[in-house]
Amino acid sequence: MPTALITGATAGIGAAFARRLAADGFSLVLVARDEKRLADSAEALHLRYGVKVEVLPADLAAEEGLTAVEARLREGVDLLVNNAGFGHPGAFLDVPVADELRMLKVHCEAVLRLTLAVLPGMRERDRGAVVNVASVAAFFTRGTYSASKAWVVNFSESIASELTGTRVRVMALCPGFVRTEFHDRASMDTSGIPGILWLSADNVVDEAMRDLARGRRVSIPDIRYKAIVGVGRLIPRGLAGEVSRRLGRR
């Protein structure tokens, strides 16, 4: 039975990955900060799908948490989903530098280190996959969040290129607005986001898994967001960034 480790696994896209992979017969290793929520999620998944579920409480913004997850990955898993992440409610100049550095720790350093921890074993076995959850924001200019997600996309594509000729896959997943706890946790006003732009986490994960099976290096779920990214590449970056800012935060 294959094993998947998912960070940020108790809510939103991470929880949707856990449900989908459990339904596909994966054993799970769930990583998140909230121990009680982890335990509740693990019990529910085991009861519903009958799969083995490990829990690993860890804060990926802390060295101790990162080290613990690295150690578990070196024991071997078949799929790593780097999903943990968060946003800030304010503009760059209004956010404390400690909060910005914490974001970079989770979005960039953790993704790099966890990917590096798991890939040697996958390459030795010549099988496995890493999904790094980025965002459509990676293709637009919108503060530290979009900058960090642009790094995730570039990093994922670079590593995927290095693994050409193997059966190990690395893919960046770039969803648009997804109905999760993400915006509420960041105290963001989402009233200005048109209803047509909202996606469900389960649909995002289903399309991500299809793209992973096809060997794609970047997955942009939903035709609407494929079109938005395509148009965004044709218009001036400053204009694209302003549209993104107005949609995402009033």
Side-chain angles (χ1 to χ4, degrees):
M1 181 178 292
T3 300
L5 186 147
I6 307 164
T7 69
T10 57
I13 293 174
F17 264 110
R19 291 190 297 270
R20 166 60 191 266
L21 294 171
D24 287 348
F26 278 76
S27 295
L28 302 177
V29 183
L30 307 182
V31 178
R33 292 179 297 168
D34 189 326
E35 291 190 42
K36 183 181 185 308
R37 201 169 185 185
L38 270 176
D40 291 344
S41 296
E43 181 179 8
L45 288 163
H46 175 69
L47 288 174
R48 180 172 181 181
Y49 300 103
V51 298
K52 178 183 177 182
V53 186
E54 300 175 44
V55 297
L56 179 51
D59 181 356
L60 297 183
E63 185 62 27
E64 181 180 4
L66 263 177
T67 301
V69 182
E70 284 176 314
R72 177 60 184 85
L73 288 169
R74 291 190 183 105
E75 294 176 14
V77 302
D78 300 282
L79 173 62
L80 166 63
V81 180
N82 278 314
N83 168 72
F86 61 93
H88 293 313
F92 173 66
L93 294 178
D94 300 325
V95 177
V97 68
D99 292 345
E100 294 285 16
L101 291 173
R102 183 169 177 268
M103 174 178 282
L104 293 178
K105 182 91 171 178
V106 175
H107 289 185
C108 299
E109 182 179 342
V111 169
L112 184 152
R113 287 176 56 176
L114 300 187
T115 301
L116 184 59
V118 79
L119 279 182
M122 289 182 174
R123 185 169 58 180
E124 183 178 344
R125 296 187 300 273
D126 196 27
R127 60 181 172 81
V130 177
V131 175
N132 293 323
V133 180
S135 169
V136 161
F139 304 104
F140 299 90
T141 54
R142 192 176 143 205
T144 312
Y145 180 82
S146 68
S148 68
K149 293 304 187 179
W151 182 91
V152 172
V153 173
N154 192 303
F155 170 75
S156 301
E157 290 186 284
S158 298
I159 303 307
S161 180
E162 289 188 22
L163 292 167
T164 298
T166 75
R167 293 189 297 168
V168 180
R169 295 172 178 171
V170 177
M171 185 182 80
L173 171 60
C174 301
F177 295 113
V178 183
R179 293 200 181 278
T180 67
E181 300 174 1
F182 177 89
H183 296 91
D184 289 339
R185 286 183 174 182
S187 301
M188 293 181 183
D189 178 7
T190 61
S191 60
I193 301 173
I196 195 173
L197 292 182
W198 287 102
L199 307 175
S200 82
D202 290 320
N203 289 344
V204 165
V205 169
D206 287 344
E207 187 156 351
M209 293 303 293
R210 286 194 295 271
D211 284 346
L212 184 65
R214 293 169 181 148
R216 293 186 177 169
R217 296 178 178 181
V218 177
S219 172
I220 302 174
D222 195 89
I223 188 65
R224 290 165 289 182
Y225 281 101
K226 288 180 173 67
I228 288 170
V229 170
V231 171
R233 288 170 171 163
L234 299 177
I235 63 178
R237 287 181 64 81
L239 176 59
E242 178 63 16
V243 171
S244 175
R245 184 187 68 81
R246 289 179 179 275
L247 278 175
R249 186 182 294 126
R250 292 177 63 186

